[in-house]
Amino acid sequence: MSISIRDSIRWLPDAASEPTSTIVLTSPGRRFVDIRILKDATEPATSLDWAFAGISSSEPRNGVRHSTWRHIVDSRTSAAETVVDEGDMFPQDDGRSLETGRMINPATGKMTDYEEMWTDAEVEDIPGANQGSAESIERLKGRCVVLELRDDEHEERGMAVYLGRYYQGVVRRGDRFAAERWVWEDGNWQRKYQLGDLWIPSPEQINQATLSLGDEVISEDPSQKWTVAEVSHS
């Protein structure tokens, strides 16, 4: 599992820059939620660069680790299953990772070679959660929980990943899309970003030592049932 924070993106042959706040939360089962928020946006409706979730995989290819990210939810399209990202990962001497590949440059609409530099943040515990019995404390250390939503009748798909002090979720229902990012700071969960009005469970609802695989987190609308797809501890 990992908390990956992007330091920069470079669309070749241009110089590297970082116009977004990009964080990717990846579970041990390779489920991920990737949210990229434009730093200079002044309105919520125009603040999202891209947000998506799915399942990733990696394999050695010609001596290089080749990674693939298959989408099941995507802010840019309702046909998320047709989107597959691929890139080659190169570890750097300073501990960061350089990702190279080719994808659509949103500024030009053309396929372009790119380079992204990533830093992996430490998965930290939440001090406020470490209360109660020794057993419950141990279960919350390095905790990762993944929720998934699938409602084919309403064309709704969602995924949320709770990892350490970070929590991100995305959901699409037809043409509507929503995304949220929360960070544990100053002793409580703070919502750093919200787009859309579709319901995504809050981190407080997930921060329960009793939550187990297959459990459901349900909103006031009983049709919105998020299921625990993964629970793990470092």
Side-chain angles (χ1 to χ4, degrees):
M1 58 186 173
S2 63
I3 300 169
S4 300
I5 300 173
R6 196 176 72 181
D7 297 325
S8 65
I9 182 169
R10 181 187 180 201
W11 299 101
L12 274 64
D14 297 339
S17 64
E18 186 45 86
T20 73
S21 169
T22 293
I23 299 176
V24 186
L25 305 183
T26 304
S27 73
R30 306 301 298 172
R31 294 176 174 88
F32 69 88
V33 175
D34 184 328
I35 297 181
R36 310 178 178 201
I37 306 162
L38 294 168
K39 293 178 178 178
D40 296 334
T42 56
E43 298 293 333
T46 60
S47 62
L48 186 65
D49 176 46
W50 199 7
F52 51 95
I55 299 176
S56 64
S57 61
S58 296
E59 62 178 356
R61 186 177 295 183
N62 300 321
V64 176
R65 182 164 66 91
H66 184 80
S67 296
T68 302
W69 296 269
R70 299 184 182 277
H71 298 196
I72 64 171
V73 185
D74 194 305
S75 64
R76 294 179 178 176
T77 176
S78 58
E81 292 81 0
T82 65
V83 181
V84 179
D85 296 329
E86 297 187 64
D88 293 324
M89 309 300 294
F90 299 89
Q92 304 295 292
D93 292 339
D94 60 3
R96 298 187 296 173
S97 295
L98 172 66
E99 176 189 339
T100 66
R102 187 173 175 82
M103 64 180 175
I104 295 290
N105 182 342
T108 64
K110 298 179 180 180
M111 289 293 292
T112 306
D113 292 332
Y114 72 88
E115 296 178 350
E116 290 178 311
M117 193 67 74
W118 297 91
T119 295
D120 281 348
E122 182 180 356
V123 179
E124 298 180 294
D125 300 332
I126 298 174
N130 292 342
Q131 299 175 356
S133 68
E135 180 182 359
S136 66
I137 291 173
E138 187 61 31
R139 293 183 65 188
L140 288 167
K141 286 185 176 179
R143 190 165 184 254
C144 179
V145 179
V146 179
L147 298 182
E148 288 190 5
L149 169 67
R150 179 162 191 164
D151 182 349
D152 293 335
E153 180 182 352
H154 297 98
E155 299 180 331
E156 192 166 22
R157 291 296 303 271
M159 182 179 290
V161 175
Y162 172 114
L163 180 54
R165 301 189 183 199
Y166 289 85
Y167 175 70
Q168 295 190 148
V170 295
V171 61
R172 174 178 284 280
R173 183 168 187 165
D175 293 332
R176 298 164 63 195
F177 181 84
E180 293 189 13
R181 175 188 292 168
W182 297 69
V183 179
W184 177 271
E185 288 182 347
D186 301 325
N188 57 68
W189 284 104
Q190 298 186 26
R191 185 159 53 194
K192 297 295 186 177
Y193 181 74
Q194 181 181 26
L195 175 72
D197 58 3
L198 295 173
W199 184 70
I200 298 174
S202 70
E204 288 92 345
Q205 292 174 283
I206 301 174
N207 190 26
Q208 304 174 43
T210 58
L211 207 58
S212 301
L213 192 67
D215 286 353
E216 292 182 339
V217 180
I218 304 173
S219 73
E220 294 179 357
D221 179 353
S223 69
Q224 291 184 306
K225 297 180 180 179
W226 290 71
T227 302
V228 178
E230 199 173 332
V231 178
S232 58
H233 314 270
S234 62

